[in-house]
Amino acid sequence: MKRFLLLLITCLFFSQIKAQRTAGKVESFVINAKTLQNTGGENANRKISVYLPPNYESTQKRFPVVYYLHGFMGNDSITTGMKAILDKSIAQAKIRPFILVIANHYTLFEGSFYSNSTLTGNWSEFEAKELVEAIDRKYKTIANRNSRGIGGHSMGGYGAIKIGMLYPEVFSSVYAMSPGLLMMVKEFGANSDSFKELSKIKTVEELRKTYYPKVLVAVGRAWSPNPANPPFYCDMPFTYQGDSLQVNQTVVDKWNANFPVLMVDKYADNLRKLKALKLDWGRNDAQRFPIQCGAFSQKLENLGIEHFAEEYIGNHVNKIWTNDGRVLNDLLPFFNDYLVFE
């Protein structure tokens, strides 16, 4: 019996040692962001969650960093399931040990769209400058663009593409999963039910019960803010009087300046500075995703900008942070191939 107990204790001890070697650590801190000081009522204190690889504390090595951008209605949380995927990616050699960072971009209307705004703060600048500088000060990073990647899903995929376009001196590689709002089409087109529905909404309480109109207001606060237009304090490119479409061309132009399909001409040289760019989308996602992702890829191809574009069998959420999903099997191996490790 004593021998059995000794054997059991020994097995448990070595199991614990093995677990420590294969399990990373998640920690969080808060930045009072200078770039997010604003007049729109947004909290400039932003929670940041960081995944550190196994044995981070016991080595002097420095690590590349993947900045992951969450989707609309999301936040910085690295859940138990997400951490398990990150641990598995290293244990299965999908990627060498790395650091992953998620900043909270949840706003009063549930998403910043990773854009600079005169109303809500400079969210692109926060992600690409202030956050990166803070992470490089606090952690053992390889502090140069060749060891920084940026990726994300949905609104985060949009943000990854946009920030990659704007800051190629900060990030060398971009991976966008099911990026949203690359152009104005289908569910967000001028004649969609989304703008018609929003035209009938008069209060914040009504808006919070919706989805597409709430997205439009979040976008409007980012791209076409108007402090003199309560209760949402933004202007829309399209409104309705009854069934009659009203077009505000000035606002259309502001939105067009933020759609990546239409930004490519202006930022083509920046995109060419990237080491690698990939986007993917699910075949069975909402109608706008295959259309806008295809259009973006076609525009890149027409300008001779090297990139990867892939349609897979899936919808918007069923193959992202799963064992058969894109993070484990595509996004992290992509960064393993293109980031510089020690």
Side-chain angles (χ1 to χ4, degrees):
M1 186 66 178
K2 288 183 179 179
R3 296 176 69 181
F4 173 77
L5 288 174
L6 181 61
L7 179 61
L8 180 61
I9 291 169
T10 302
C11 289
L12 289 172
F13 173 77
F14 283 108
S15 294
Q16 186 177 14
I17 293 297
K18 183 178 180 181
Q20 290 174 348
R21 289 175 178 170
T22 59
K25 174 185 176 183
V26 173
E27 60 183 43
S28 299
F29 66 98
V30 173
I31 293 178
N32 178 248
K34 295 178 182 178
T35 50
L36 298 182
Q37 304 302 313
N38 68 91
T39 59
E42 299 294 348
N43 189 350
N45 291 319
R46 289 287 125 182
K47 185 165 166 279
I48 315 299
S49 291
V50 180
Y51 170 84
L52 301 173
N55 300 323
Y56 172 85
E57 283 89 359
S58 64
T59 180
Q60 295 305 308
K61 284 184 64 175
R62 306 188 79 83
F63 300 92
V65 185
V66 173
Y67 288 82
Y68 184 85
L69 310 185
H70 65 75
F72 188 69
M73 301 189 297
N75 56 42
D76 63 289
S77 295
I78 299 176
T79 66
T80 300
M82 292 167 67
K83 181 181 178 298
I85 292 296
L86 298 174
D87 285 341
K88 181 176 288 189
S89 71
I90 295 171
Q92 293 185 349
K94 301 277 188 178
I95 186 171
R96 286 159 283 176
F98 69 105
I99 296 170
L100 181 127
V101 176
I102 308 180
N104 185 355
H105 281 253
Y106 186 92
T107 63
L108 292 173
F109 291 86
E110 305 191 34
S112 71
F113 279 89
Y114 300 96
S115 298
N116 289 347
S117 167
T118 57
L119 179 70
T120 65
N122 292 335
W123 298 86
S124 293
E125 187 180 354
F126 165 69
E127 184 73 29
K129 294 291 189 177
E130 192 168 2
L131 175 61
V132 168
E133 290 169 4
I135 294 297
D136 284 344
R137 285 194 303 269
K138 189 174 178 65
Y139 296 100
K140 293 181 292 192
T141 67
I142 305 173
N144 66 69
R145 70 179 294 272
N146 292 323
S147 297
R148 289 193 206 102
I150 188 165
H153 175 244
S154 197
M155 180 185 81
Y158 165 86
I161 288 173
K162 183 175 190 175
I163 291 173
M165 278 189 186
L166 297 177
Y167 299 97
E169 74 282 5
V170 179
F171 303 100
S172 64
S173 305
V174 175
Y175 194 120
M177 298 184 294
S178 303
L181 283 178
L182 301 183
M183 61 188 294
M184 199 175 294
V185 66
K186 289 296 182 180
E187 293 90 348
F188 291 116
N191 290 298
S192 69
D193 290 339
S194 304
F195 284 102
K196 292 178 183 178
E197 186 181 355
L198 179 57
S199 291
K200 298 174 184 177
I201 295 172
K202 305 303 179 186
T203 68
V204 173
E205 291 72 22
E206 288 180 87
L207 185 75
R208 295 202 188 283
K209 299 174 183 177
T210 71
Y211 179 73
Y212 288 124
K214 185 166 55 179
V215 173
L216 292 173
V217 168
V219 171
R221 286 168 62 84
W223 300 350
S224 52
N226 182 353
N229 188 15
F232 309 132
Y233 300 100
C234 60
D235 296 324
M236 286 293 116
F238 309 112
T239 56
Y240 277 83
Q241 293 183 356
D243 290 328
S244 177
L245 174 67
Q246 310 294 309
V247 179
N248 185 330
Q249 189 59 49
T250 300
V251 180
V252 170
D253 293 342
K254 291 179 180 179
W255 283 41
N256 284 346
N258 286 281
F259 287 126
V261 170
L262 302 179
M263 293 171 68
V264 170
D265 287 323
K266 182 176 180 179
Y267 294 101
D269 287 342
N270 280 3
L271 287 165
R272 292 188 182 100
K273 293 175 184 177
L274 296 174
K275 289 177 65 177
L277 168 62
K278 182 173 180 178
L279 67 155
D280 66 23
W281 62 94
R283 181 185 300 171
N284 302 305
D285 205 336
Q287 293 181 350
R288 66 188 180 278
F289 287 97
I291 293 172
Q292 64 186 351
C293 290
F296 183 67
S297 176
Q298 186 67 64
K299 189 67 178 287
L300 294 176
E301 182 181 353
N302 291 348
L303 293 174
I305 297 170
E306 294 291 334
H307 68 288
F308 304 95
E310 181 180 355
E311 180 179 273
Y312 62 90
I313 299 173
N315 59 37
H316 196 60
V317 296
N318 72 329
K319 290 189 177 180
I320 306 301
W321 286 93
T322 58
N323 287 325
D324 63 345
R326 308 301 291 183
V327 171
L328 177 62
N329 299 298
D330 296 273
L331 181 144
L332 294 176
F334 169 87
F335 287 123
N336 186 64
D337 289 342
Y338 290 103
L339 297 184
V340 172
F341 292 69
E342 272 195 356

